[in-house]
Amino acid sequence: MGDTGSRPPQLHPGRALAHTPGASSSGSPHRSDSRPPQTPRGARRPGPDGRPGTTPPVPGRPTSLPGPVGLPGLLGFLGLPAALFALITWQVAAHGPLARADERLSRSLVHPDRVSELLADLGGVPVAVPVLAVVLGYVALSARAAGRARGWQAPAVAAVLMALVPAVIVPLKELVARPGPPVMGPGTGFYPSGHTATAVVAYGSATLLLLPRLRTARGRRGLLGLCLAVNLAVAFGLVRRGYHWPLDVVASWCLGAMLLTVAVLILDRGVSRSTRRSSAGTPSPRTGPS
């Protein structure tokens, strides 16, 4: 009894020691029974900064709208262009002060040349639609090769979106019946710009489809920058060549933004449903009794 304070602590069978390797023959330094850890440290996915051991994504959480964008942000992207489009349409139809300022600005910007004509052609159906068709085919085939049963949904939504452009633009042209710039001669039907809307939807849809397939942030930024540059080039060419008034272009930007936002909402809803179904059908990782 007198030497109890000098003896080292004794190991008692059946006690769980969190940091004793091989406790209860588990082979794990963090478990006291024979169950494997539900999330092995080596299997955890790295976080955005590359550090190991980050908690894996929560099942059922939507992954197509990362960060702070979400549904409220998308509704904002939908409402702001809609309000701006309504304002521009009202001013153009009533030939208000905004439309008169637009015409004065156009007279100072028009300078037809070959370069502006080529840039404007980037928004034409013979150029923009084949680019989108190539991207649609690539995305659909790659999804099929990867065994994704619903890989056709995103290309189908983009194709329908492209088909909606003339269905929206042509009636608006007939309804507003805005004359074109002086270099275009007599005639109406210049508001909104069909080339601009085609470019926004075609190149924008292609960008949305390709973004998830790029692994690096630099690649995604580069693709977004390329899409923006092409659309700005189309707008510059249309105004510089005298094919459209500046407000014709801005109105089509608004229409294109609304159409793309609706497409993102549809695709995100489909991804969320698919994720919830996958999570509900995932078996529990525990293979034995507790």
Side-chain angles (χ1 to χ4, degrees), residues 70-152:
L71 182 60
L74 282 176
L75 292 178
F77 283 130
L78 186 62
L80 184 60
L84 184 57
F85 177 76
L87 172 64
I88 295 174
T89 303
W90 165 53
Q91 284 291 295
V92 169
H95 201 253
L98 192 60
R100 293 193 295 270
D102 179 51
E103 294 170 1
R104 291 193 299 268
L105 176 64
S106 177
R107 284 192 289 269
S108 65
L109 294 177
V110 172
H111 184 76
D113 55 23
R114 181 58 178 166
V115 174
S116 60
E117 185 175 349
L118 291 174
L119 292 177
D121 288 343
L122 292 176
V125 170
V127 178
V129 173
V131 171
L132 177 60
V134 170
V135 174
L136 294 181
Y138 163 73
V139 171
L141 290 176
S142 61
R144 181 178 180 181
R148 292 194 291 270
R150 297 182 178 270
W152 55 270

Side-chain angles (χ1 to χ4, degrees), residues 206-208 210-211 214 218-228:
T207 299
L208 290 175
L210 292 176
L211 277 178
L214 298 179
R218 178 178 297 181
R220 291 188 289 270
R221 287 194 297 267
L223 181 60
L224 288 171
L226 178 62
C227 178
L228 179 61

